[in-house]
Amino acid sequence: MAPKRPDSVEELRAAGNQSFRNGQFAEAATLYSRALRALQAQGSLDPEKESVLYSNRAACHLKDGNCTDCIKDCTSALALVPFSMKPLLRRASAYEALEKYSLAYVDYMTVLQINDSVTSALEGSSRMTRALMDSFGPEWRLKLPSIPLVPVSVQKRWECLPSENHKETAESKSKETTAAKSRGSSALSRVVSDFTLTVALCGIVPSAGDVERAKVLKEEGNELVKKGNHKQAIEKYSESLWFSNLESATYSNRALCHLVLKQYKEAVQDCTEALKLDGKNVKAFYRRAQAYKALKDYKSSFADINSLLQIEPRNGPAQKLRQEVNRSLK
């Protein structure tokens, strides 16, 4: 007896998933198309289910090298459920294959706002940065479309409510986070460091959207500092600097976190960057002086305190710190 032909939306989707796992991408795409027609015929108001079907069919198109239809299906999926991870990643891959690097970069960066540990997005954004610099030179960011600002509510939804749309991503994040801790640094930190160095060397000007996103992330970092969560605050400040490294206060705020965590060399480095952007950043002078003192570089500490007191002669904490450092110099 022949097996029952799948007819319901769930049966068609399950059959499509099985065909996909078997490498039968054209057959899977046909099954997902039938599921979509069945769902739409029902008049169902289930945008998430419909979005998943579009996204799954997009994966079939991507596997078969049909990037144009992949992009169309991902866009349909995102219209139903904005900021879904898989459609963003699949569309980014399709854009990249078509050498539409600006659009791929935007999608990769949008993913990283939702989940900053997605390796494919981290590596993709890095590839797109290099490709865009090769194409447009130091002004490449001026050629970019605006990067959408992902609402905090969306970030929390993806973190707290795993579903088919992002289950694999959640599992991947867990594994990557564990691996990153064993290496002593996260993949995001390395990419942020490389990226901000590139920005500094090439004089890249962030877009207005990037500057706004950087401000939001900085404020999130500030809130974490108030709660005493300095490690997570460092991550937020690092993300902020990824979008825009032109804010002196972001560096000096991250320096404070390094000080609390007794990462004195990192604190010195961040304060130095802050002072390059704002030579009168009193907090940067004070925190670098504190870091130098902890490192027993008393001369450098004393010099920073003096620079601070030239700006604010009545700064009480600085006067007290100068007395302590002066005693160590004797």
Side-chain angles (χ1 to χ4, degrees):
M1 183 176 176
K4 180 180 178 293
R5 187 171 182 265
D7 290 315
S8 72
V9 173
E10 290 302 325
E11 288 174 340
L12 288 163
R13 185 172 72 170
N17 291 348
Q18 186 59 52
S19 294
F20 188 89
R21 285 192 290 270
N22 293 339
Q24 299 168 319
F25 305 122
E27 180 180 311
T30 299
L31 288 162
Y32 291 137
S33 296
R34 287 177 57 197
L36 276 166
R37 288 195 296 271
L39 184 65
Q40 291 160 357
Q42 294 172 5
S44 172
L45 297 176
D46 192 340
E48 184 164 346
K49 185 179 291 185
E50 190 174 353
S51 176
V52 168
L53 288 169
Y54 276 117
S55 178
N56 288 0
R57 191 171 68 178
C60 300
H61 293 319
L62 189 61
K63 288 288 188 180
D64 280 338
N66 184 354
C67 294
T68 300
D69 283 343
C70 173
I71 290 168
K72 288 180 181 177
D73 275 353
C74 288
T75 302
S76 296
L78 290 164
L80 291 160
V81 182
F83 306 114
S84 297
M85 298 275 280
K86 288 185 179 180
L88 282 167
L89 285 168
R90 288 164 184 166
R91 191 171 67 177
S93 295
Y95 279 140
E96 184 174 355
L98 295 174
E99 298 185 3
K100 295 183 178 182
Y101 300 133
S102 296
L103 296 173
Y105 178 86
V106 168
D107 278 351
Y108 283 133
M109 292 299 289
T110 303
V111 169
L112 290 171
Q113 292 182 61
I114 304 165
N115 182 331
D116 61 20
S117 298
V118 179
T119 301
S120 57
L122 287 164
E123 293 176 348
S125 63
S126 182
R127 287 195 305 275
M128 295 308 94
T129 298
R130 291 192 295 271
L132 289 164
M133 287 186 65
D134 289 343
S135 298
F136 301 114
E139 303 298 318
W140 67 272
R141 290 179 75 89
L142 301 178
K143 310 289 184 181
L144 291 176
S146 296
I147 298 174
L149 184 64
V150 178
V152 174
S153 60
V154 172
Q155 298 175 36
K156 290 180 178 178
R157 173 167 63 88
W158 285 97
E159 289 173 0
C160 300
L161 298 174
S163 68
E164 182 176 347
N165 240 6
H166 66 287
K167 182 179 178 182
E168 294 172 10
T169 304
E171 292 171 353
S172 173
K173 179 175 180 179
S174 176
K175 292 176 182 177
E176 288 157 11
T177 302
T178 301
K181 286 180 179 178
S182 68
R183 291 192 300 269
S185 62
S186 69
L188 175 64
S189 296
R190 294 196 303 274
V191 175
V192 167
S193 178
D194 292 343
F195 184 79
T196 51
L197 177 60
T198 301
V199 170
L201 291 174
C202 298
I204 298 167
V205 179
S207 66
D210 285 352
V211 171
E212 182 60 30
R213 179 60 184 159
K215 287 181 179 178
V216 171
L217 287 163
K218 178 185 147 188
E219 289 305 314
E220 290 178 11
N222 292 347
E223 289 302 313
L224 287 166
V225 168
K226 291 175 185 176
K227 295 175 182 177
N229 197 335
H230 295 91
K231 287 185 179 179
Q232 286 190 17
I234 286 175
E235 292 179 7
K236 287 295 180 183
Y237 291 136
S238 297
E239 286 183 71
S240 175
L241 290 167
W242 191 349
F243 284 96
S244 173
N245 69 337
L246 303 179
E247 180 68 45
S248 177
T250 307
Y251 281 109
S252 56
N253 288 1
R254 191 170 68 174
L256 171 63
C257 298
H258 287 309
L259 275 173
V260 172
L261 297 172
K262 299 183 179 180
Q263 298 167 345
Y264 301 120
K265 290 182 180 179
E266 290 84 351
V268 167
Q269 185 177 6
D270 272 354
C271 290
T272 300
E273 292 301 321
L275 289 165
K276 286 179 183 177
L277 293 166
D278 179 4
K280 294 185 177 181
N281 186 329
V282 170
K283 290 181 179 178
F285 274 123
Y286 184 72
R287 288 166 187 168
R288 191 168 69 175
Q290 288 179 302
Y292 277 138
K293 178 176 179 284
L295 293 168
K296 298 185 179 180
D297 185 351
Y298 301 119
K299 288 184 179 180
S300 296
S301 179
F302 195 78
D304 275 349
I305 298 167
N306 282 339
S307 297
L308 187 163
L309 289 172
Q310 286 179 7
I311 302 167
E312 290 188 6
R314 296 183 180 180
N315 189 303
Q319 291 173 345
K320 182 180 178 181
L321 183 60
R322 182 168 64 175
Q323 292 174 356
E324 294 173 3
V325 172
N326 197 33
R327 285 195 296 269
S328 298
L329 281 169
K330 292 178 180 178

